[in-house]
């Protein structure tokens, strides 16, 4: 195995990493004034992640708590967020195009991106730039798929524990100015727990065409997931019992989802000073899943269909000043039906207030229009200032397709004061948001950059927060969530050490949550303060050590009583203050390489009252690769090397007390990779 990218960059300083997430046009990451982490193709090839969490653990400030299949709950400079609109805090994109419309996010939507064959994953931490609108509240994850101009043809066969198997295939053909690539992956996982596992297929087709003054890069991605879902296990430290950890209290649960996205990026070189980038796109998603975490386990069927365009114009005034301005537009039609076929089990109250039949049935048409501008000024050879602004108008046209109110679907009343689920009358809601960004970057020398960044992010309420109500609530009065952020950092290289260190303060207003009356309200406030470190040190040409370290505190800053406890000043639940990934790499020759990874997750509170804690855990993963030839590579991975009993996720509810998603025991995976 040749030197890793981390080793090469630290020892030679010749590796240039560019990103497209920050400004849509390519930007040298070493000169970007903010926290943007890259997981390149060599790192992704070494990880061979079964779940995207395994790759993103290498990014400081990012934490994913995963379920048994492809599900997860994310955090980027935040606690692990849950609830109807939690997914709205993070913008998930593939090749720069959001995977879903901003009003119809899904907390698990990264499984709709083709991460298994990604060339690069880019993570922008903190509020997005002027190029990102609603949902880029805490950060952006952008998955970059293979480029047919540079990708090698390959086929990879993989097998492992719990009847895991995966096939990856990619081939490209044509000339440099007219070339097409096809990339596909098919995965089967038998599941560690009873009645669990999944089958997943993804295909991406890319085409590149170039003429003298323009180029067209087009793509299509289709994904399909059929998952048998495993639910929570309950009881204090239940994950430590192998028999309980392997059980599945919800064997009937499932998730079926399909997605399709088609896009073209049309780049015009209008002159030496002007470049125009126009990206039209179409996307569709269709998902059915059994909500095993709710009483009565209702079925949700949701779909969205829409199109849009991103238009960006870059003008270079001179060597010191350039401007990027443009307009984003999208239109989407979404629908949601929640229904229940069998009577609710449990207390008389639950049986009476959660009836059989239709709970929700609505359509929402959304329209988003957003002009933006980004100005960059090199004040001197060392100092750069950037200013960005974005205005975004979001409109939802909501139609209720069933009875208004909190009755059964036949109009009869539920006992105990009424049915749980409340359906508001048809309505139109609109949200206007303006977000400025200001940053400064100072080059200490050719290898070290110091930067500071003031930014504001926002997210409009999700459709589910506005129209999926409960109890007595008949209408919402929600504003957009807003985040104000200040960040200070330094990045660069010194001899064999590369580093990126940042500190941030983030304040969130209008935080949307469900209060003790089961109303969706927006009077929450939270505070987030943290330090992040990403570093790589090349000890010599054979040994390298790298780390991604995060320490932060996430607190409630609003008065809210749960029982007689005011949670103001408490840690937000499921928010470990510290977590990290540390990797030791050894390459005894160009053809052979090993990596030992230590993952650490600190303790965290399980509920807002801060009365119960999960102890945290440490995991070790071992990876090895052997380049048999230039065309053949063998790899072996041992996950959870010490067979540690741990919880991927832990929380606490008044109904079940402690509950967990248990982590997998020691697992072994092997693959053979043919490239030509």
């Amino acid at each position: 195995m040749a030197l890793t990218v981390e080793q090469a960059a630290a020892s030679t300083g010749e590796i240039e990493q560019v990103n497209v997430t920050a400004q849509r046009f390519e930007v040298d990451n070493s000169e970007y004034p903010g926290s943007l982490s890259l997981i390149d193709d060599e790192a992704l090839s070494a990880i061979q992640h079964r779940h995207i969490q395994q790759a993103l653990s290498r990014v400081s400030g990012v934490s994913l708590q995963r379920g048994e299949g492809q599900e997860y709950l994310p955090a980027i400079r935040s606690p692990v967020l849950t609830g109807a609109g939690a997914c709205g805090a993070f913008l998930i994109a593939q090749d720069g195009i959001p995977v879903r419309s901003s009003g119809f996010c899904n907390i698990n939507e990264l499984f709709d991106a083709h991460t298994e064959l990604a060339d690069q994953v880019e993570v922008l931490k903190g509020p997005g730039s002027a190029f990102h609108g609603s949902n880029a509240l805490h950060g952006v994850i952008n998955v970059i798929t293979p480029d047919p101009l540079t990708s090698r043809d390959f086929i990879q066969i993989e097998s492992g524990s719990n009847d895991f198997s995966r096939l990856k295939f990619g081939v490209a053909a044509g000339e440099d100015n007219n070339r097409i690539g096809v990339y596909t992956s098919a995965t089967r996982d038998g599941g560690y727990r009873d009645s669990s596992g999944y089958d997943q297929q993804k295909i991406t087709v890319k085409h590149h065409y170039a003429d003298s003054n323009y180029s067209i890069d087009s793509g299509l991605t289709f994904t399909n997931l059929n998952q048998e879902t495993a639910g929570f296990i309950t009881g204090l430290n239940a994950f430590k019992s192998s028999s309980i950890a392997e059980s599945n209290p919800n064997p009937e649960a499932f998730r079926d989802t399909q997605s399709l996205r088609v896009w073209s990026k049309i780049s015009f070189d209008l002159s030496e000073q002007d470049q125009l980038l126009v990206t039209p796109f179409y996307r569709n998603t269709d998902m059915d899943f059994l909500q095993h975490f709710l009483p009565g386990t209702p079925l949700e069927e949701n779909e969205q269909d829409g199109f849009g365009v991103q238009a960006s114009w870059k003008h270079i005034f001179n060597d010191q000043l350039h401007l990027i301005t443009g307009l984003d537009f999208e239109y989407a039609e979404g629908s949601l039906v929640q229904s229940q076929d069998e009577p609710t089990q449990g207390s008389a109250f639950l049986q009476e207030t959660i009836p059989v039949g239709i709970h929700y049935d609505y359509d929402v048409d959304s329209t988003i229009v957003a002009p933006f501008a980004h100005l960059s000024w090199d004040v001197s050879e060392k100092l750069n200032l950037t200013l960005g602004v974005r205005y975004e108008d979001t409109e939802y046209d909501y139609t209720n397709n069933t009875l208004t109110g909190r009755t059964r679907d036949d109009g009869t009343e539920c006992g105990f004061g009424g049915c749980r689920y409340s359906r508001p009358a048809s309505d139109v809601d609109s949200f206007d948001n303006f977000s400025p960004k200001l940053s400064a970057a100072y080059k200490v020398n050719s290898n070290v950059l110091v930067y500071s960044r003031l930014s504001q992010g926002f997210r409009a309420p999700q459709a589910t927060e506005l129209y999926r109500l409960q109890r007595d609530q008949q209408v919402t009065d929600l504003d957009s969530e807003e985040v104000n952020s200040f960040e200070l950092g330094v990045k660069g290289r010194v001899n064999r050490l590369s580093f990126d260190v940042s500190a941030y303060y983030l304040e969130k207003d209008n935080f949307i949550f469900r209060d003790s009356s089961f109303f969706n309200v927006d009077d929450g406030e939270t505070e987030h303060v943290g330090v992040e470190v990403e570093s790589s040190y090349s000890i010599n040409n054979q040994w390298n050590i790298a780390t991604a370290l995060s320490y932060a505190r996430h607190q409630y800053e609003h008065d809210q009583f749960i029982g007689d406890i005011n949670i103001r000043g408490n840690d937000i639940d499921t928010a470990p203050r510290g977590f990290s990934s540390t990797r030791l790499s050894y390459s005894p020759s160009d053809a052979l390489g090993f990596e030992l990874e230590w993952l650490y997750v600190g303790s965290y509170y399980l509920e807002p009252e801060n009365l119960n804690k999960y102890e945290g855990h440490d995991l070790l993963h071992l990876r090895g690769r052997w380049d048999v030839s230039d065309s053949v590579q063998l790899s072996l991975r041992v996950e959870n090397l010490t067979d540690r009993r741990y919880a991927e996720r832990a929380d606490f509810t008044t109904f079940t007390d402690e509950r967990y998603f248990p982590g997998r025991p020691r697992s072994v995976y092997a693959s053979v990779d043919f490239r030509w």
Side-chain angles (χ1 to χ4, degrees):
M1 179 191 290
L3 292 179
T4 66
V5 171
E6 289 168 333
Q7 289 172 312
S11 61
T12 70
E14 296 177 355
I15 299 296
E16 179 185 65
Q17 292 186 310
V18 298
N19 74 80
V20 295
T21 299
Q23 297 181 10
R24 296 188 183 171
F25 300 92
E26 286 191 350
V27 179
D28 185 343
N29 204 43
S30 66
E31 298 182 356
Y32 173 68
S35 293
L36 198 151
S37 299
L38 307 180
I39 311 172
D40 57 49
D41 60 342
E42 187 160 352
L44 291 167
S45 178
I47 301 165
Q48 293 293 337
H49 61 271
R50 292 181 300 102
H51 192 288
I52 187 60
Q53 177 217 47
Q54 295 166 307
L56 290 174
S57 65
R58 297 188 178 222
V59 178
S60 62
V62 177
S63 175
L64 270 65
Q65 294 184 346
R66 54 189 280 202
E68 170 59 13
Q70 286 294 291
E71 298 174 346
Y72 66 92
L73 295 169
I76 305 176
R77 290 189 174 176
S78 70
V80 173
L81 297 176
T82 61
C87 50
F90 315 102
L91 180 61
I92 307 300
Q94 179 176 300
D95 295 313
I97 300 165
V99 169
R100 291 181 174 233
S101 179
S102 62
F104 307 103
C105 70
N106 184 274
I107 200 69
N108 308 285
E109 64 194 56
L110 262 171
F111 57 37
D112 285 335
H114 206 163
T115 63
E116 292 81 359
L117 292 180
D119 259 3
Q120 184 162 283
V121 177
E122 303 175 353
V123 183
L124 175 62
K125 293 174 285 186
S129 66
F131 306 92
H132 311 100
S134 187
N135 291 39
L137 194 68
H138 282 279
V140 180
I141 299 175
N142 188 21
V143 177
I144 308 298
T145 55
D147 183 347
L149 288 176
T150 58
S151 64
R152 295 178 67 183
D153 298 342
F154 68 91
I155 183 169
Q156 183 188 82
I157 303 169
E158 187 176 359
S159 182
S161 300
N162 301 298
D163 297 323
F164 179 86
S165 59
R166 180 162 60 185
L167 174 67
K168 299 180 184 178
F169 174 79
V171 62
E175 305 298 327
D176 284 351
N177 68 333
N178 188 7
R179 192 167 177 83
I180 189 170
V182 179
Y183 312 93
T184 186
S185 59
T187 307
R188 177 175 177 77
D189 190 326
Y192 157 61
R193 300 173 61 191
D194 296 340
S195 301
S196 67
Y198 65 90
D199 291 281
Q200 187 173 46
Q201 304 84 35
K202 300 181 180 181
I203 183 170
T204 294
V205 181
K206 301 282 288 288
H207 180 259
H208 172 80
Y209 177 80
D211 206 335
S212 57
N213 62 349
Y214 74 93
S215 65
I216 304 175
D217 290 282
S218 302
L220 176 152
T221 293
F222 174 78
T223 72
N224 177 70
L225 173 66
N226 302 110
Q227 175 180 287
E228 303 301 316
T229 304
F232 284 103
I233 58 174
T234 60
L236 181 62
N237 294 329
F239 61 88
K240 294 184 178 180
S241 166
S242 60
S243 60
I244 299 177
E246 293 175 14
S247 68
N248 179 9
N250 303 103
E252 75 286 358
F254 69 92
R255 184 186 294 267
D256 294 334
T257 179
Q258 297 81 39
S259 71
L260 173 67
R261 294 180 300 280
V262 184
W263 69 95
S264 283
K265 295 188 177 183
I266 310 168
S267 179
F268 299 92
D269 292 325
L270 304 177
S271 67
E272 292 185 359
Q273 291 79 32
D274 295 279
Q275 185 177 357
L276 178 65
L277 180 64
V278 180
T279 307
F281 60 87
Y282 165 80
R283 61 190 170 207
N284 173 270
T285 63
D286 190 351
M287 179 185 295
D288 300 340
F289 74 100
L290 198 67
Q291 299 174 91
H292 60 88
F293 44 84
L294 294 179
T297 60
L299 174 69
E300 178 182 322
E301 303 166 272
N302 67 72
E303 184 177 6
Q304 60 171 282
D305 194 77
F307 62 90
V309 62
Q310 299 173 338
S312 305
W313 170 58
K314 181 177 182 179
H315 177 69
I316 301 174
F317 293 98
N318 51 50
D319 291 341
Q320 289 77 41
L321 193 67
H322 75 258
L323 171 72
I324 302 175
T325 187
L327 179 73
D328 292 343
F329 167 81
E330 69 172 49
Y331 172 81
E333 297 177 349
S335 65
L336 183 144
V337 177
Q338 178 179 306
S339 61
Q340 185 173 317
D341 291 335
E342 299 294 333
T344 302
Q345 302 299 308
S347 67
F349 175 80
L350 291 177
Q351 294 179 44
E352 178 63 23
T353 58
I354 305 176
V356 169
I358 300 294
H359 299 159
Y360 301 102
D361 182 356
Y362 63 75
D363 300 319
V364 179
D365 298 340
S366 73
T367 305
I368 299 174
V369 180
F372 61 86
H374 172 92
L375 184 68
S376 177
W377 176 30
D378 289 329
V379 180
S380 66
E381 290 185 358
K382 290 182 175 293
L383 179 64
N384 171 269
L385 299 178
T386 61
L387 173 65
V389 291
R390 184 183 181 92
Y391 170 79
E392 187 162 302
D393 177 76
T394 301
E395 182 175 284
Y396 298 137
D397 187 349
Y398 158 74
T399 302
N400 178 31
N401 298 320
T402 186
L403 297 176
T404 298
R406 54 182 303 199
T407 65
R408 295 183 176 92
D409 61 2
D410 62 2
T412 60
E413 300 287 339
C414 293
F416 294 96
C419 302
R420 168 178 290 207
Y421 301 115
S422 176
R423 300 173 291 270
S426 300
D427 202 358
V428 175
D429 293 282
S430 61
F431 303 90
D432 298 320
N433 293 281
F434 176 81
S435 60
K437 328 280 179 179
L438 176 65
S439 63
Y442 182 79
K443 288 185 178 180
V444 178
N445 53 47
S446 59
N447 291 323
V448 178
L449 182 79
V450 178
Y451 64 87
S452 62
R453 188 167 182 256
L454 280 168
S455 58
Q456 186 179 79
F458 64 90
R459 75 164 181 91
Q462 297 296 297
T464 50
E465 294 173 311
L466 292 167
Y467 312 122
R468 207 173 185 176
L469 307 183
Q470 293 192 20
R471 311 293 173 107
D472 283 329
Q473 190 169 24
Q474 297 296 312
V475 65
T476 59
D477 184 22
L478 301 179
D479 289 328
S480 297
E481 288 190 358
E482 294 183 353
V483 158
N484 296 300
S485 173
F486 173 72
E487 179 179 1
L488 183 65
V490 57
K491 65 173 74 173
R493 291 188 301 270
V494 176
N495 298 323
R496 290 177 172 267
L497 175 68
S498 64
F499 57 90
D500 189 339
V501 181
S502 58
Y504 66 88
Y505 172 82
L506 190 151
E507 186 179 71
K508 183 190 292 187
D509 296 321
N510 302 329
F511 173 55
I512 300 172
F513 65 97
R514 181 161 283 158
D515 66 12
S516 57
S517 298
F518 293 85
F519 279 34
N520 289 341
V521 297
D522 64 359
D523 57 352
E525 297 180 15
T526 59
E527 181 181 88
H528 313 263
V529 182
V531 177
E532 297 162 354
V533 177
E534 293 183 11
S535 67
S536 176
Y537 179 68
S538 185
I539 301 169
N540 53 42
N541 288 338
Q542 295 181 326
W543 291 92
N544 177 270
I545 186 168
T547 190
L549 171 68
S550 309
Y551 183 84
R553 187 170 186 191
H554 310 282
Q555 294 178 276
Y556 294 105
E557 287 299 310
H558 61 278
D559 290 316
Q560 181 186 354
F561 282 87
I562 301 178
D564 58 354
I565 297 176
N566 188 349
I567 65 172
R568 184 185 183 98
N570 282 8
D571 281 14
I572 301 176
D573 41 301
T574 60
R577 294 192 183 183
F579 53 89
S580 63
S581 164
T582 302
R583 288 96 56 195
L584 180 65
S585 303
Y586 174 56
S587 298
S589 70
D590 288 346
L592 196 63
F594 303 93
E595 179 185 83
L596 180 66
E597 181 179 25
W598 167 37
L599 290 178
Y600 164 75
V601 176
S603 62
Y604 55 85
Y605 290 107
L606 305 185
E607 78 285 84
E609 301 95 312
N610 288 185
L611 300 177
N612 298 276
K613 260 190 174 185
Y614 171 65
E615 61 191 11
H617 59 260
D618 299 89
L619 298 176
L620 291 177
H621 302 319
L622 180 64
R623 304 179 180 98
R625 299 170 66 194
W626 176 32
D627 295 335
V628 181
S629 67
D630 185 56
S631 302
V632 181
Q633 182 184 89
L634 303 178
S635 67
L636 182 70
R637 308 189 309 280
V638 183
E639 298 177 3
N640 193 2
L641 183 64
T642 60
D643 202 24
R644 173 73 185 270
R645 293 289 175 183
Y646 71 102
E648 288 281 2
R649 171 171 173 76
D651 69 3
F652 187 95
T653 74
T654 56
F655 298 104
T656 63
D657 295 337
E658 292 87 359
R659 61 179 189 173
Y660 309 93
F661 283 143
R664 287 195 176 193
R666 184 189 298 116
S667 304
V668 181
Y669 303 88
S671 65
V672 55
D673 195 350
F674 303 95
R675 294 182 180 267
W676 61 94

